[in-house]
Amino acid sequence: MVLEAIRYKPHSLQILNQLKLPHQIEYDDVTGSEDGWNAIKDMRTRGAPAIAIVAALSLAVELHVGVLSDKAPRDVGAYIVEKLDYLVTSRPTAVNLADAARKLKKIVQSAAKPDGNDGAAVVKAYCDAAAQMLISDVSDNQAIGKYGAEWIEKLAPGEQVSVLTHCNTGSLATAGYGTALGVIRSMHSNGSLKRAICTETRPYNQGSRLTAFELVHDSIPATLITDSMASALLQLKGPSERIVAIVVGADRVAANGDTANKIGTYQLAITAKHHGVKFLVAAPRTTIDLQTKCGADITIEERPGKEMTMMKGPRFDGAKLDVNQVEVVSIAAEGIDVWNPAFDVTPAALIDGIITELGVVEKGENGDFDLTFAIEAHNESVKPSSVGGLYAA
């Protein structure tokens, strides 16, 4: 059974507190937009798709209380737009959040037009749309997993191969199944996966805490390495483990294919190129931001220095863990300056393919990605065959 990071029904939203993983499974109640903002900012929920969904649903829970239903439609619409703008400030780099807010604003503004609707109708239009986001994300992730697995399997037909991944891109980062980790899940289901290799992902350890947790949970053969071991791994074990690809997620894909993802992604792309390993980005079309021309235009969020100098975890007495005794320990010299960017940008030149829910986008004859098909992600679906440079089995 795939892990459930978001539990939602009208009037109720719970999120799996990812700060307590992998040692404790605890769900936090989210009762409104302020709770949602704090959950995202504190990284109790994280991952670009999940952030957008939790933000949208946190406001839906607030609206379900019904305090705005007797207000004028225009006033209800203005309130929702104001709250959406507030929620976007929680994690500015993740384009899915801003994209979801933009779409929801359009729905609300349409419902709030003076055509006989009341405040309750505007609330319903918003809540229905937010709930649909949760459903759509799972189906999109499953399609990403399918297309990505098929593309990688063609690299070594009939053989089991290994894949390396970074950060966490699974059920904990999405509504369910995952993007890059969804590709790994699909390969495992197909019998084509020899081994998944996950990085520790310092400084916040999303790989060791979250991805490793999901892989163990799903009984997928997997190995954990530190971030600094990736090049040596490809050099020393790449052939024997048949490591053919590195698959990562994305927080924002620029119009030219430059991709912002968890810090440490860029160096993996460089080592993949040097060792002849394919480098793939897995992300729904909503992560593609055609308004951002290239990676240089992406604002990189910087996190508190204590994330690098401190670590938190349950007490270990030499024999077993005491999950009820959580401690914070210092791992750096006191007084040292810290630079802690949350993301880096991988140039499109280092990326072999971008896996979407429609297929895998490959570069054209000119060596560039054509991502203009992502425009339709905002309104209507596009058949894979209609998109140039898109591989879909």
Side-chain angles (χ1 to χ4, degrees):
M1 182 178 178
V2 174
L3 288 164
E4 188 180 24
I6 302 170
R7 293 176 173 174
Y8 173 75
K9 56 185 178 181
H11 310 287
S12 174
L13 173 63
Q14 290 184 315
I15 59 163
L16 182 60
N17 186 341
Q18 297 186 31
L19 296 180
K20 297 194 174 182
L21 292 174
H23 306 294
Q24 292 175 281
I25 296 178
E26 182 177 298
Y27 285 86
D28 292 348
D29 290 317
V30 176
T31 60
S33 55
E34 185 173 348
D35 280 354
W37 191 96
N38 287 322
I40 294 167
K41 189 69 174 179
D42 297 343
M43 292 183 72
R44 281 178 286 141
T45 190
R46 22 75 47 213
I51 286 169
I53 293 166
V54 168
L57 293 178
S58 70
L59 180 53
V61 170
E62 181 177 320
L63 295 172
H64 270 303
V65 175
V67 293
L68 295 177
S69 295
D70 59 347
K71 302 291 185 181
R74 182 175 296 179
D75 293 337
V76 174
Y79 178 86
I80 293 174
V81 167
E82 180 183 349
K83 288 295 185 178
L84 286 170
D85 287 339
Y86 162 69
L87 286 161
V88 168
T89 66
S90 59
R91 294 299 300 273
T93 305
V95 70
N96 302 62
L97 176 53
D99 181 73
R102 183 186 57 77
K103 291 177 183 175
L104 290 167
K105 283 179 185 178
K106 283 187 176 181
I107 290 169
V108 166
Q109 288 164 351
S110 177
K113 289 179 179 178
D115 59 358
N117 279 344
D118 55 13
V122 179
V123 168
K124 184 178 186 304
Y126 174 87
C127 293
D128 288 349
Q132 183 59 44
M133 288 175 57
L134 186 66
I135 297 169
S136 298
D137 189 63
V138 175
S139 61
D140 286 348
N141 290 341
Q142 290 171 337
I144 287 169
K146 172 182 179 292
Y147 289 124
E150 290 171 349
W151 196 93
I152 292 171
E153 287 161 1
K154 286 183 177 292
L155 299 175
E159 294 184 28
Q160 283 193 323
V161 295
S162 297
V163 173
L164 188 150
T165 192
H166 184 60
C167 196
N168 175 256
T169 56
S171 298
L172 299 174
T174 63
Y177 203 74
T179 54
L181 199 53
V183 174
I184 289 172
R185 281 194 167 99
S186 291
M187 291 179 66
H188 177 63
S189 177
N190 295 345
S192 62
L193 182 72
K194 184 176 190 291
R195 182 161 293 274
I197 300 138
C198 59
T199 58
E200 188 180 38
T201 321
R202 285 283 294 143
Y204 223 62
N205 298 312
Q206 294 97 324
S208 58
R209 290 192 302 108
L210 307 178
T211 298
F213 179 71
E214 289 199 46
L215 292 167
V216 170
H217 179 276
D218 286 10
S219 299
I220 296 174
T223 298
L224 174 68
I225 64 171
T226 68
D227 297 10
S228 57
M229 294 176 184
S231 294
L233 173 78
L234 296 184
Q235 180 187 59
L236 301 175
K237 290 180 175 271
S240 63
E241 289 294 320
R242 295 196 291 278
I243 304 172
V244 299
I246 295 176
V247 185
V248 301
D251 281 76
R252 187 182 296 252
V253 180
N256 71 337
D258 291 352
T259 297
N261 192 49
K262 186 55 56 188
I263 190 73
T265 302
Y266 177 32
Q267 64 191 23
L268 287 175
I270 292 171
T271 198
K273 182 69 73 175
H274 179 76
H275 290 94
V277 170
K278 297 297 183 183
F279 189 87
L280 300 164
V281 171
R285 290 178 294 158
T286 52
T287 306
I288 299 171
D289 180 12
L290 297 178
Q291 301 305 310
T292 299
K293 292 182 179 180
C294 65
D297 297 330
I298 299 174
T299 301
I300 300 299
E301 173 190 354
E302 293 194 18
R303 300 286 300 173
K306 65 181 180 181
E307 291 180 358
M308 191 183 300
T309 61
M310 303 283 182
M311 290 188 104
K312 181 171 70 172
R315 181 181 178 85
F316 180 64
D317 64 7
K320 61 181 180 179
L321 294 175
D322 181 358
V323 296
N324 295 314
Q325 188 67 37
V326 177
E327 297 179 346
V328 177
V329 297
S330 173
I331 59 171
E334 191 173 0
I336 188 69
D337 286 340
V338 172
W339 179 56
N340 184 21
F343 308 94
D344 56 26
V345 175
T346 300
L350 297 176
I351 300 171
D352 293 294
I354 299 173
I355 310 166
T356 76
E357 67 272 30
L358 295 184
V360 182
V361 187
E362 300 173 339
K363 292 172 183 171
E365 292 181 0
N366 61 358
D368 297 332
F369 286 114
D370 179 4
L371 302 177
T372 54
F373 74 98
I375 294 172
E376 282 76 12
H378 305 312
N379 39 49
E380 61 181 345
S381 62
V382 180
K383 294 181 180 179
S385 59
S386 70
V387 182
L390 190 68
Y391 162 82

